Amino acid sequence: MANDESRKCPYCGALLQHPYWQHIQSNHPAEYSKNETWIQLYKDYTSMGMDESMSLMVISELFNQDMDDVKSYLKENKII
């Protein structure tokens, strides 16, 4: 993940360590459950070298969502 040291929580501004989603999950559960979290996770995973299908699978498992729904959301937001 690029630039770990400067990543801040988009909700409270706290400096985050990898994996940043753990902070959001435990400290901002309402925000964590929103699909917007998928965008940054996808960007993080692919920047670490994970291919598209693996990134989608991990996100779908983390959020207990269908992989096609995750992919569709990311396409709608022009991430994929």
Side-chain angles (χ1 to χ4, degrees), residues 8-47:
K8 291 185 179 182
C9 173
Y11 306 109
C12 70
L15 289 177
L16 304 177
Q17 301 295 319
H18 178 71
Y20 87 97
W21 58 267
Q22 286 180 331
H23 166 85
I24 295 173
Q25 182 182 34
S26 61
N27 295 296
H28 310 287
E31 290 83 356
Y32 177 79
S33 65
K34 295 179 183 176
N35 297 354
E36 291 90 16
T37 307
W38 301 352
I39 293 171
Q40 190 61 51
L41 280 172
Y42 182 82
K43 289 178 179 179
D44 288 346
Y45 292 153
T46 55
S47 72

Side-chain angles (χ1 to χ4, degrees), residues 52-53 56-58 60 65-72:
E52 178 182 307
S53 62
L56 292 171
M57 183 183 72
V58 171
S60 68
Q65 296 292 321
D66 185 84
M67 201 162 108
D68 290 333
D69 292 341
V70 174
K71 186 173 184 173
S72 176

